[in-house]
Amino acid sequence: VQLQASGGGLVQAGGSLRLSCAASGRTFSRDLMGWFRQAPGKEREFVAAISRNGVSTYYSDSVKGRFTISRDNAKKMVYLEMNSLEFEDTAVYYCAADHNAILTAGLSYSSRQENYDKWGQGTLVTVSS
């Protein structure tokens, strides 16, 4: 699978953005999908993940209640709706796919970067304070 993230940009604190990730290639509907981010000078970190059937979603504590991950398997798309953006959300956001995850992977598994075997190129989100 190939992944193409888009939707990043400059937004004021308190604003909203919607990131999209388009997948191509192998059967997208069998993949656990995740969003990760890397802020300047920091390690890449987990943001959110969604099971292959879209039923289970997982979030980091820092974005829970503000961000929503969703997917459309027919369109091979995964989305990250980001609301109440904060300066600390400034980062390059990456979508990633894990073809080997079980349906009930859980947060502990889904948040580990090493489990994902395909990564998109990243899209920059800048939140001005």
Side-chain angles (χ1 to χ4, degrees):
V1 68
Q2 292 185 335
L3 303 174
Q4 180 78 33
S6 61
L10 175 64
V11 62
Q12 288 189 331
S16 299
L17 273 179
R18 187 196 199 202
L19 304 184
S20 299
C21 178
S24 62
R26 70 187 184 203
T27 306
F28 170 79
S29 62
R30 290 203 290 265
D31 292 346
L32 169 72
M33 296 299 298
W35 285 97
F36 292 78
R37 67 186 182 186
Q38 186 167 20
K42 295 188 177 180
E43 300 277 324
R44 189 163 60 185
E45 64 176 6
F46 170 74
V47 176
I50 187 166
S51 61
R52 60 180 183 253
N53 62 0
V55 171
S56 298
T57 56
Y58 313 101
Y59 298 94
S60 68
D61 288 341
S62 61
V63 307
K64 196 177 299 181
R66 300 188 298 121
F67 291 11
T68 302
I69 188 171
S70 61
R71 67 190 295 162
D72 185 331
N73 284 348
K75 296 181 179 178
K76 294 187 178 181
M77 296 289 295
V78 63
Y79 306 100
L80 186 68
E81 186 75 36
M82 305 186 296
N83 298 314
S84 302
L85 282 162
E86 303 169 352
F87 176 75
E88 292 73 22
D89 295 317
T90 295
V92 176
Y93 283 72
Y94 299 89
C95 60
D98 176 5
H99 190 58
N100 298 310
I102 61 173
L103 182 60
T104 54
L107 174 60
S108 180
Y109 176 94
S110 302
S111 62
R112 287 199 285 268
Q113 301 180 45
E114 60 268 29
N115 292 329
Y116 292 81
D117 53 318
K118 293 293 182 182
W119 292 81
Q121 86 292 353
T123 185
L124 176 62
V125 173
T126 304
V127 183
S128 61
S129 57

